PDB file of all heavy atoms in Angstrom:
ATOM      1  N   HIS A  64      18.814 -10.205   3.242  1.00 95.00           N
ATOM      2  CA  HIS A  64      19.472 -11.169   2.417  1.00 95.00           C
ATOM      3  C   HIS A  64      19.299 -12.632   3.093  1.00 95.00           C
ATOM      4  O   HIS A  64      20.045 -13.458   2.763  1.00 95.00           O
ATOM      5  CB  HIS A  64      20.983 -10.846   2.554  1.00 95.00           C
ATOM      6  CG  HIS A  64      21.303  -9.408   2.240  1.00 95.00           C
ATOM      7  ND1 HIS A  64      21.181  -8.959   0.839  1.00 95.00           N
ATOM      8  CD2 HIS A  64      21.798  -8.387   2.926  1.00 95.00           C
ATOM      9  CE1 HIS A  64      21.490  -7.627   0.894  1.00 95.00           C
ATOM     10  NE2 HIS A  64      21.742  -7.277   2.103  1.00 95.00           N
ATOM     11  N   ASN A  65      18.171 -12.814   3.871  1.00 94.00           N
ATOM     12  CA  ASN A  65      17.909 -14.155   4.305  1.00 94.00           C
ATOM     13  C   ASN A  65      16.523 -14.455   3.861  1.00 94.00           C
ATOM     14  O   ASN A  65      15.565 -13.753   3.965  1.00 94.00           O
ATOM     15  CB  ASN A  65      17.841 -14.074   5.882  1.00 94.00           C
ATOM     16  CG  ASN A  65      19.129 -13.881   6.451  1.00 94.00           C
ATOM     17  OD1 ASN A  65      20.240 -14.418   6.098  1.00 94.00           O
ATOM     18  ND2 ASN A  65      19.263 -12.922   7.488  1.00 94.00           N
ATOM     19  N   ALA A  66      16.504 -15.738   3.302  1.00 94.00           N
ATOM     20  CA  ALA A  66      15.092 -16.224   2.805  1.00 94.00           C
ATOM     21  C   ALA A  66      14.312 -16.467   4.011  1.00 94.00           C
ATOM     22  O   ALA A  66      14.743 -16.902   5.050  1.00 94.00           O
ATOM     23  CB  ALA A  66      15.338 -17.473   2.024  1.00 94.00           C
ATOM     24  N   ILE A  67      12.896 -16.091   3.962  1.00 92.00           N
ATOM     25  CA  ILE A  67      12.042 -16.374   4.960  1.00 92.00           C
ATOM     26  C   ILE A  67      10.863 -17.094   4.478  1.00 92.00           C
ATOM     27  O   ILE A  67      10.621 -17.248   3.315  1.00 92.00           O
ATOM     28  CB  ILE A  67      11.526 -15.018   5.754  1.00 92.00           C
ATOM     29  CG1 ILE A  67      10.697 -14.181   4.660  1.00 92.00           C
ATOM     30  CG2 ILE A  67      12.629 -14.137   6.204  1.00 92.00           C
ATOM     31  CD1 ILE A  67       9.887 -13.084   5.407  1.00 92.00           C
ATOM     32  N   GLU A  68      10.193 -17.874   5.283  1.00 87.00           N
ATOM     33  CA  GLU A  68       8.992 -18.630   4.882  1.00 87.00           C
ATOM     34  C   GLU A  68       7.832 -17.836   4.864  1.00 87.00           C
ATOM     35  O   GLU A  68       7.652 -16.822   5.670  1.00 87.00           O
ATOM     36  CB  GLU A  68       8.799 -19.764   6.110  1.00 87.00           C
ATOM     37  CG  GLU A  68       9.826 -20.808   6.226  1.00 87.00           C
ATOM     38  CD  GLU A  68       9.605 -21.795   7.225  1.00 87.00           C
ATOM     39  OE1 GLU A  68       8.418 -22.159   7.535  1.00 87.00           O
ATOM     40  OE2 GLU A  68      10.542 -22.230   7.809  1.00 87.00           O
ATOM     41  N   ILE A  69       7.112 -17.958   3.732  1.00 80.00           N
ATOM     42  CA  ILE A  69       5.986 -17.001   3.541  1.00 80.00           C
ATOM     43  C   ILE A  69       4.861 -17.237   4.557  1.00 80.00           C
ATOM     44  O   ILE A  69       4.193 -16.368   5.040  1.00 80.00           O
ATOM     45  CB  ILE A  69       5.415 -17.370   2.104  1.00 80.00           C
ATOM     46  CG1 ILE A  69       6.380 -16.809   1.118  1.00 80.00           C
ATOM     47  CG2 ILE A  69       4.144 -16.565   1.848  1.00 80.00           C
ATOM     48  CD1 ILE A  69       6.157 -17.174  -0.366  1.00 80.00           C
ATOM     49  N   GLU A  70       4.758 -18.557   5.118  1.00 83.00           N
ATOM     50  CA  GLU A  70       3.811 -18.820   6.046  1.00 83.00           C
ATOM     51  C   GLU A  70       4.211 -18.249   7.413  1.00 83.00           C
ATOM     52  O   GLU A  70       3.357 -18.224   8.357  1.00 83.00           O
ATOM     53  CB  GLU A  70       3.601 -20.354   6.257  1.00 83.00           C
ATOM     54  CG  GLU A  70       2.948 -20.900   5.017  1.00 83.00           C
ATOM     55  CD  GLU A  70       3.964 -21.103   3.881  1.00 83.00           C
ATOM     56  OE1 GLU A  70       5.276 -21.259   4.191  1.00 83.00           O
ATOM     57  OE2 GLU A  70       3.704 -21.314   2.755  1.00 83.00           O
ATOM     58  N   LYS A  71       5.430 -17.746   7.702  1.00 83.00           N
ATOM     59  CA  LYS A  71       5.916 -17.302   8.858  1.00 83.00           C
ATOM     60  C   LYS A  71       5.106 -15.947   9.314  1.00 83.00           C
ATOM     61  O   LYS A  71       5.177 -15.084   8.499  1.00 83.00           O
ATOM     62  CB  LYS A  71       7.456 -16.997   8.873  1.00 83.00           C
ATOM     63  CG  LYS A  71       8.076 -16.776  10.149  1.00 83.00           C
ATOM     64  CD  LYS A  71       9.572 -16.705   9.945  1.00 83.00           C
ATOM     65  CE  LYS A  71      10.311 -16.323  11.242  1.00 83.00           C
ATOM     66  NZ  LYS A  71      11.709 -16.181  11.132  1.00 83.00           N
ATOM     67  N   PRO A  72       4.596 -15.864  10.547  1.00 86.00           N
ATOM     68  CA  PRO A  72       3.861 -14.734  10.939  1.00 86.00           C
ATOM     69  C   PRO A  72       4.546 -13.491  11.257  1.00 86.00           C
ATOM     70  O   PRO A  72       4.032 -12.405  11.201  1.00 86.00           O
ATOM     71  CB  PRO A  72       3.008 -15.166  12.110  1.00 86.00           C
ATOM     72  CG  PRO A  72       3.832 -16.311  12.657  1.00 86.00           C
ATOM     73  CD  PRO A  72       4.623 -16.925  11.524  1.00 86.00           C
ATOM     74  N   GLU A  73       5.846 -13.628  11.618  1.00 92.00           N
ATOM     75  CA  GLU A  73       6.845 -12.582  12.055  1.00 92.00           C
ATOM     76  C   GLU A  73       8.110 -12.613  11.347  1.00 92.00           C
ATOM     77  O   GLU A  73       8.623 -13.631  10.925  1.00 92.00           O
ATOM     78  CB  GLU A  73       6.899 -12.452  13.548  1.00 92.00           C
ATOM     79  CG  GLU A  73       5.588 -12.205  14.238  1.00 92.00           C
ATOM     80  CD  GLU A  73       5.824 -11.933  15.769  1.00 92.00           C
ATOM     81  OE1 GLU A  73       6.938 -12.322  16.218  1.00 92.00           O
ATOM     82  OE2 GLU A  73       4.946 -11.464  16.381  1.00 92.00           O
ATOM     83  N   VAL A  74       8.738 -11.405  11.246  1.00 94.00           N
ATOM     84  CA  VAL A  74      10.066 -11.373  10.796  1.00 94.00           C
ATOM     85  C   VAL A  74      10.872 -10.286  11.682  1.00 94.00           C
ATOM     86  O   VAL A  74      10.276  -9.422  12.160  1.00 94.00           O
ATOM     87  CB  VAL A  74      10.254 -11.099   9.309  1.00 94.00           C
ATOM     88  CG1 VAL A  74       9.629  -9.648   9.083  1.00 94.00           C
ATOM     89  CG2 VAL A  74      11.579 -11.123   8.631  1.00 94.00           C
ATOM     90  N   GLY A  75      12.123 -10.544  11.770  1.00 95.00           N
ATOM     91  CA  GLY A  75      13.021  -9.636  12.624  1.00 95.00           C
ATOM     92  C   GLY A  75      13.579  -8.399  11.619  1.00 95.00           C
ATOM     93  O   GLY A  75      14.087  -8.748  10.649  1.00 95.00           O
ATOM     94  N   LEU A  76      13.451  -7.260  12.063  1.00 97.00           N
ATOM     95  CA  LEU A  76      14.099  -6.116  11.480  1.00 97.00           C
ATOM     96  C   LEU A  76      15.170  -5.528  12.274  1.00 97.00           C
ATOM     97  O   LEU A  76      15.137  -5.585  13.514  1.00 97.00           O
ATOM     98  CB  LEU A  76      12.949  -4.979  11.249  1.00 97.00           C
ATOM     99  CG  LEU A  76      11.922  -5.321  10.360  1.00 97.00           C
ATOM    100  CD1 LEU A  76      10.776  -4.241  10.217  1.00 97.00           C
ATOM    101  CD2 LEU A  76      12.256  -5.841   8.964  1.00 97.00           C
ATOM    102  N   GLN A  77      16.229  -5.049  11.577  1.00 97.00           N
ATOM    103  CA  GLN A  77      17.382  -4.366  12.291  1.00 97.00           C
ATOM    104  C   GLN A  77      17.068  -2.858  12.245  1.00 97.00           C
ATOM    105  O   GLN A  77      16.182  -2.391  11.474  1.00 97.00           O
ATOM    106  CB  GLN A  77      18.609  -4.607  11.446  1.00 97.00           C
ATOM    107  CG  GLN A  77      18.970  -6.063  11.413  1.00 97.00           C
ATOM    108  CD  GLN A  77      19.228  -6.736  12.663  1.00 97.00           C
ATOM    109  OE1 GLN A  77      19.810  -6.176  13.566  1.00 97.00           O
ATOM    110  NE2 GLN A  77      18.786  -7.893  12.880  1.00 97.00           N
ATOM    111  N   THR A  78      17.679  -2.153  13.037  1.00 98.00           N
ATOM    112  CA  THR A  78      17.727  -0.651  13.041  1.00 98.00           C
ATOM    113  C   THR A  78      18.027  -0.148  11.687  1.00 98.00           C
ATOM    114  O   THR A  78      19.018  -0.519  11.192  1.00 98.00           O
ATOM    115  CB  THR A  78      18.429  -0.103  14.266  1.00 98.00           C
ATOM    116  OG1 THR A  78      18.005  -0.634  15.470  1.00 98.00           O
ATOM    117  CG2 THR A  78      18.407   1.407  14.280  1.00 98.00           C
ATOM    118  N   GLY A  79      17.371   0.744  11.151  1.00 98.00           N
ATOM    119  CA  GLY A  79      17.736   1.433   9.871  1.00 98.00           C
ATOM    120  C   GLY A  79      16.993   0.640   8.706  1.00 98.00           C
ATOM    121  O   GLY A  79      16.021   0.127   8.801  1.00 98.00           O
ATOM    122  N   ALA A  80      17.794   0.652   7.571  1.00 98.00           N
ATOM    123  CA  ALA A  80      17.234   0.083   6.361  1.00 98.00           C
ATOM    124  C   ALA A  80      17.344  -1.447   6.263  1.00 98.00           C
ATOM    125  O   ALA A  80      18.397  -2.062   6.669  1.00 98.00           O
ATOM    126  CB  ALA A  80      17.982   0.687   5.118  1.00 98.00           C
TER     127      ALA A  80
END
Side-chain angles (χ1 to χ4, degrees):
H64 311 289
N65 297 311
I67 64 167
E68 295 178 31
I69 295 175
E70 296 79 24
K71 191 175 177 181
E73 292 189 349
V74 66
L76 297 179
Q77 302 297 320
T78 301

